[in-house]
Amino acid sequence: MCVLLAYEAPADSMIVRLSTAFSSDDVLEIHILFHELISCAYEDNYASGNIWQNYLTHFILSNENFFSLSCERREAPKGSLRDIALHDFEAFMRLFNLDNEHMHYIDNFIGNEHNNSPVCEISKAIAESRTSQKIYDIVTNFYRRHGTGQFAFYKAFRFDGENIVPVENKNVGDVRLDDIVGYDIQKQELRENTEAFLSGRPANNVLLYGDGGTGKSTSVKALLNEYYDDGLRVIEIFRHQFRDILKISEMLRKRNYKFILFIDDLSFEENESEYKYLKAVIEGGIETRPDNILIYATSNRRHIVREIWSDRDDMEHNGDIHRSDTVEEKLSLSSRFGIAINYSSPTRKMYHEIVLTLARKARLDVPDDVLISGADRWEIRHGGMTGRAARQYVDYLLGRK
């Protein structure tokens, strides 16, 4: 009986049900459970090798308990906690090596090129282990390097109102900052701030502002892909969830990761007041922001909140100084971001360079002069010279090869 894992293995769990089915030789139940195991394996991307062993490995690597969380924080378990864990790994080893005549159905799946889960690698290492101490070392090393729970397996997340839920890694893509043509100064500033954050040095909230389609959101995705192995995770927050940011922060405060709360396309009309709540949450409330959380936002507006000329009607006069309380209130949100990075539309020369670079990466066999003349016609009808327009143009050509 596992002590640390017992509360995660109720009577209707896969582990208990399969062990019971093997004991009673209930063939129908065994095959039903095998079907569930196969579904889990493909859903969680470990359908390679022995999927029973992979299932158990995924179970223990993603199980959040006192032991796994202490390892994630790099606190070496001592005394009773370590003894209990070793006891659990002995029980785990017996389950892992469960033998039954039906097991051949699920003990040799052939993986595919899209299988990149660490579960299969760890599962093989556990299978080669002969002692609970060796399994203990393998699993705790994983906890220390990658953490535990869903944060160990996914890069990006959303908040569903109650829980933080993962976004499939394949949906995040694998874009890197070097894939974004131009904007070298902007990318370097993003790198420096993010690296300071990851190293525990002071870092700022960041506002990426400028014209649409210039790569602001893509830059944040690229940061995630480049610094994922350093413990960076991104949680996307939508405008209607600003009131939940404190709740989310509490859920993340004690985790040994660095989190960027990402707000895409942040803007407010002049009659919307949600920005006041966000302003207090970012900086200024009584509760300080956890050291492992920053906010990165993108906006087409430098000052986020729409301003109108009537905002200046309450202007005060004092010599040559002019100050409007309404204007100052609306500017105060953007001032909470310590770093503001401008992504303006590229020059025509840069736009051509983006098109040619994307075409070469796609191995598009079209002469450069034809590409450039086509790109110029494309941008006139598709929103101007932006990286997004360049990508859409190249995709259009690829679709007609």
Side-chain angles (χ1 to χ4, degrees), residues 41-239:
Y42 278 100
E43 181 179 344
D44 292 321
N45 198 30
Y46 54 75
S48 178
N50 187 317
I51 60 172
W52 165 246
Q53 295 181 346
N54 292 350
Y55 171 82
L56 289 174
T57 301
H58 182 270
F59 177 85
I60 201 166
L61 295 182
S62 60
N63 188 283
E64 295 182 9
N65 53 64
F66 296 117
F67 175 75
S68 62
L69 290 172
S70 66
C71 291
E72 177 187 286
R73 294 189 293 267
R74 294 176 173 80
E75 300 168 358
K78 299 177 182 178
S80 296
L81 184 59
R82 185 177 184 279
D83 294 340
I84 291 170
L86 284 170
H87 168 272
D88 280 7
F89 284 121
E90 289 179 4
F92 175 81
M93 187 164 56
R94 291 192 294 273
L95 280 171
F96 193 86
N97 296 315
L98 193 63
D99 191 19
N100 185 275
E101 60 179 323
H102 301 283
M103 194 64 82
H104 68 276
Y105 287 114
I106 57 170
D107 67 358
N108 189 26
F109 270 65
I110 305 299
N112 57 60
E113 59 181 341
H114 302 295
N115 190 305
N116 57 3
S117 170
V119 170
C120 298
E121 180 182 347
I122 301 297
S123 179
K124 289 179 182 178
I126 292 175
E128 296 170 358
S129 303
R130 295 292 178 265
T131 65
S132 59
Q133 179 64 56
K134 180 62 176 175
I135 298 175
Y136 176 98
D137 293 339
I138 292 169
V139 174
T140 53
N141 285 337
F142 178 89
Y143 290 151
R144 292 188 185 99
R145 183 177 178 184
H146 300 284
T148 183
Q150 61 184 0
F151 295 127
F153 296 101
Y154 295 95
K155 303 175 182 178
F157 303 83
R158 291 194 179 101
F159 185 69
D160 67 0
E162 292 294 331
N163 301 297
I164 296 171
V165 296
V167 175
E168 290 292 334
N169 289 338
K170 63 183 178 181
N171 295 332
V172 178
D174 195 35
V175 64
R176 304 293 171 127
L177 286 173
D178 289 341
D179 296 329
I180 302 172
V181 181
Y183 301 102
D184 293 335
I185 295 174
Q186 291 89 333
K187 291 187 293 186
Q188 182 60 28
E189 193 165 7
L190 265 180
R191 282 186 189 276
E192 290 175 355
N193 191 68
T194 304
E195 289 174 1
F197 178 47
L198 292 170
S199 66
R201 292 180 281 123
N204 281 291
N205 299 313
V206 178
L207 174 65
L208 295 80
Y209 71 95
D211 300 308
T214 51
K216 302 183 294 294
S217 301
T218 303
S219 295
V220 177
K221 291 181 183 178
L223 286 174
L224 174 59
N225 289 321
E226 293 200 15
Y227 296 105
Y228 167 73
D229 288 336
D230 297 311
L232 183 66
R233 302 293 184 268
V234 169
I235 301 174
E236 187 170 16
I237 305 295
F238 299 101
R239 191 166 69 174

Side-chain angles (χ1 to χ4, degrees), residues 230-291:
D230 297 311
L232 183 66
R233 302 293 184 268
V234 169
I235 301 174
E236 187 170 16
I237 305 295
F238 299 101
R239 191 166 69 174
H240 68 276
Q241 298 174 325
F242 290 163
R243 292 179 179 272
D244 295 316
I245 290 180
L246 288 177
K247 178 180 178 180
I248 295 168
S249 297
E250 281 306 305
M251 298 168 72
L252 305 176
R253 185 182 293 272
K254 295 182 180 180
R255 300 307 298 265
N256 196 33
Y257 298 92
K258 298 293 185 179
F259 296 97
I260 288 176
L261 301 186
F262 175 49
I263 306 171
D264 196 23
D265 196 20
L266 179 61
S267 66
F268 298 93
E269 295 303 315
E270 54 93 15
N271 62 338
E272 294 177 316
S273 59
E274 292 96 331
Y275 73 92
K276 296 181 180 180
Y277 191 84
L278 179 60
K279 184 179 68 172
V281 168
I282 292 178
E283 195 174 310
I286 193 170
E287 186 173 346
T288 59
R289 171 175 51 83
D291 293 336

